[in-house]
Structure formats: C-alpha cells, structure tokens
Amino acid sequence: MGLDRSYLETSVWKPDLFKGKVVFTTGGAGTICRAQTEALILLGADAAIVGRNKANTDKAAAEMAQLRPGAKVISCAETDVRQVQSLVKAVEKTVRELGKIDFVIAGAAGNFLCDFNHLSTNAFATVVGIDLLGSYNTVKACFDQLRKNKGQILFVSATLHYYGIPFQAHVGAAKAGVDALSNALAVELGPLGIRVNCVSPGPIAETEGFKRLVREEKGYDKTIPIQRYGSVRDIADATVYLFSPAADYVTGTVQVVDGGSWHMGSRGSHHLYPHEVARLNAEQLSKL
Ligand code: COA
C-alpha cells in the first residue's frame, strides 16, 4: 500500500524536486508517515526514519532505501519522542550520516479507543506525551538544523478534534494541541525562514486509525463528498506540495486531506454510539 517507482510516472511532480534535501520523520515506519517519506525519497531526498521499535524501524529504512538508486535512508531506531535527549541522539546521527536536516515530519502518534470512565490518567498522558509533547520535542531537537537550513516543519494532525468524538478524548486533546503548536511556531519561526504547517488526514484506507475509528461499512464511502476513502498517496501528495517551492508563501495552515469528510459531521466511532457509552459507563469505575 506504500509508494513505488511508478509514482515518478504517475504523479505531477518533477523527479528531482527534492534532490539534495534531507527529511527527518518521526513515526516514519508507520503507514501514513512512511508514504509521505517515500514520496520525498522518490523525488530525490535522503531520509532518517525515527521510531521506537528497532526491528520495524530498521526494516522500513532498508526497504525505503531501495526506492531510488543512490538514496540514503537511515534508521534512528529506539528513539522515544517523549524523551528530548533520545531525539537529540537521532538528530546527531542524521547530521553525522546524511549531513543535515531540511524537512521535519512530526508524525509519531499513539491511539486507541477508550471511554473516559476507563481511560487512566497515565493513558491520557501517554497519548498527549507521544502526539503533542513528542511533536514539540522533535522541533526542539531539530531546531538548530532548521534554523541553519531555513528548513520546514510538517506536523501530522487530524480532524477529530473539530467536534467531539466518543472514546477519543485523549487523541482529540493532543491533536488540538498540535494545531495550536503549529500555528504559534509558524508565526515565531517565519522570520527565520522556517515554514510550519499541519497535514490532517481523514479516513485513509488500510491505516490503524481507519480500522479502529471508521471500519469499512457498506456505503460509508458514499457519505464522503469525494465519494471514496483516502489513500496514503493522497497524504504523500499534500506533503510534497507543502514542502515544495509551490508552497513558499504557505505557513501556519492546516491542510485537511479528507475528501471533504469532516464537513459531513462527527461520524468517527459512530458504530459504537450511544450503546457502548451507556454500557461502559454503567460500571462504577472512573479509572485513575
Ligand atoms: N485502552 C485503554 N488504555 C490503554 C490502552 C487501551 N487500548 N492502551 C494503553 N493504555 C494505557 C495503559 O493501560 C497505560 O495506562 P495505565 O498505566 O494506567 O494502565 C497507558 O495507556 C500507557 O500504556 P503503555 O502500553 O505502557 O504505553 P506505551 O508507551 O508502551 O504505548 C501506545 C502507548 C499508545 C503506543 C500503545 O497503546 C499502542 O501500541 N497503541 C496502538 C498502536 C498505535 O497507537 N499506533 C499508532 C496509530 S495512530
């Protein structure tokens, strides 16, 4: 489901668009962030894939290096975005092996469905820690490189905090924070020549979030204005646009890529609502 060399023939982008650029991607072994990074590699960039799990991150980096002859793709495995020093080591390795960092994709995220009654304080903190603090730490660790190279930042956000989605309080709160962080940094870092944007995927087929939140139901795709589920390539194309010179005057934006889906209202977890809310809250709990 990721990208392959046919992208060069079938996309509208110039093959050498990102020649000489280096991208640093947290969550780069995951489905969406991997495709975003693959597009940049195919279009000439080298990449550092940052992840917690060693086997997954090493494997993804080795596979992605095969996308383009001469591509350099390194693995920065065993990096936890909640620990800024862990990211500093990954940045040092990237600069040592690839020379610099031009683009940062802050995409590492954690998600699970859980109602408030059963969601512990630590569970809430874990998701906010990965999604929001992790995004902040990523920019912190990359800041010297971004400043030096007039680099760019792309946060991976979501649309689920545009309304209340049951069982997603932790993720919605974290992603709302990511949008706020992105806006503030766009304003502060603009004078340094650093552009900052968010990309917010909607229902993208075959992703973890899709399986958990949407579930493929007959006819559900026809409730989306564009009449189909999204693909990881849709997110990759938006990423290419935002990093490309075509977006030189674009900063502080949230690029929603969802086929117009969110305009149709809150439907995430709708298959669980309201019967599961009633069932889960019937228990005398409120897990701390
Ligand atoms: N429902 C409720 N609580 C959950 C949970 C779930 N499905 N999964 C984890 N938690 C809670 C844990 O119970 C723990 O809280 P506690 O100490 O009060 O019991 C807290 O979250 C931390 O869990 P832990 O497994 O120690 O954290 P971790 O840092 O190892 O992993 C995640 C966190 C989110 C990455 C992990 O839950 C996960 O693997 N999720 C699925 C994969 C994923 O999110 N992929 C990204 C898709 S966007």
Side-chain angles (χ1 to χ4, degrees):
M1 70 169 306
L3 303 186
D4 58 37
R5 287 191 63 77
S6 67
Y7 185 70
L8 292 173
E9 281 86 55
T10 57
S11 78
V12 299
W13 314 111
K14 283 189 197 165
D16 282 342
L17 189 58
F18 297 123
K19 194 174 174 188
K21 300 290 187 188
V22 176
V23 59
F24 180 92
T25 307
T26 69
T31 325
I32 288 180
C33 299
R34 176 168 173 161
Q36 291 176 283
T37 310
E38 285 175 341
L40 304 182
I41 294 168
L42 283 161
L43 298 172
D46 291 329
I49 309 304
V50 183
R52 260 205 299 176
N53 182 292
K54 179 155 172 57
N56 290 353
T57 312
D58 287 355
K59 182 169 180 282
E63 288 170 359
M64 291 158 86
Q66 302 304 311
L67 283 170
R68 178 175 53 78
K72 286 189 207 154
V73 181
I74 65 165
S75 165
C76 297
E78 294 172 325
T79 303
D80 188 335
V81 294
R82 291 169 287 189
Q83 310 294 332
V84 74
Q85 285 308 328
S86 174
L87 279 158
V88 166
K89 277 193 204 145
V91 168
E92 285 169 355
K93 179 177 179 183
T94 305
V95 174
R96 206 166 46 242
E97 297 188 19
L98 302 180
K100 59 174 181 160
I101 295 169
D102 300 287
F103 304 147
V104 173
I105 299 177
N111 191 4
F112 46 79
L113 290 178
C114 189
D115 68 299
F116 176 77
N117 195 18
H118 291 84
L119 186 70
S120 71
T121 301
N122 188 38
F124 186 88
T126 296
V127 171
V128 171
I130 298 171
D131 293 24
L132 178 54
L133 179 63
S135 295
Y136 178 84
N137 286 342
T138 302
V139 179
K140 264 285 178 208
C142 293
F143 187 47
D144 282 345
Q145 281 296 308
L146 289 164
R147 185 160 40 188
K148 203 165 151 187
N149 304 322
K150 296 196 187 310
Q152 295 178 47
I153 302 161
L154 186 63
F155 294 104
V156 180
S157 188
T159 58
L160 47 79
H161 51 293
Y162 297 176
Y163 24 60
I165 294 196
F167 316 123
Q168 289 281 274
H170 42 317
V171 189
K175 294 298 191 184
V178 168
D179 286 4
L181 176 66
S182 176
N183 291 341
L185 290 183
V187 174
E188 257 190 65
L189 306 186
L192 305 183
I194 300 171
R195 291 196 291 111
V196 186
N197 291 288
C198 288
V199 65
S200 298
I204 306 299
E206 294 179 50
T207 58
E208 280 292 316
F210 182 86
K211 283 175 205 154
R212 270 189 231 124
L213 270 180
V214 178
R215 296 200 316 182
E216 195 152 350
E217 287 168 22
K218 203 169 158 30
Y220 184 86
D221 51 340
K222 298 304 170 206
T223 68
I224 298 168
I226 294 289
Q227 302 285 290
R228 66 169 174 87
Y229 298 119
S231 67
V232 292
R233 181 177 167 143
D234 291 316
I235 310 302
D237 278 334
T239 302
V240 172
Y241 161 67
L242 287 168
F243 281 146
S244 79
D248 263 357
Y249 204 50
V250 179
T251 196
T253 67
V254 177
Q255 177 64 67
V256 176
V257 184
D258 74 339
S261 189
W262 81 267
H263 289 290
M264 300 298 285
S266 164
R267 290 166 304 148
S269 309
H270 72 297
H271 53 285
L272 304 172
Y273 193 82
H275 53 284
E276 276 295 279
V277 178
R279 188 183 70 78
L280 291 162
N281 282 302
E283 208 176 339
Q284 285 301 318
L285 188 66
S286 196
K287 194 175 175 190
L288 290 179

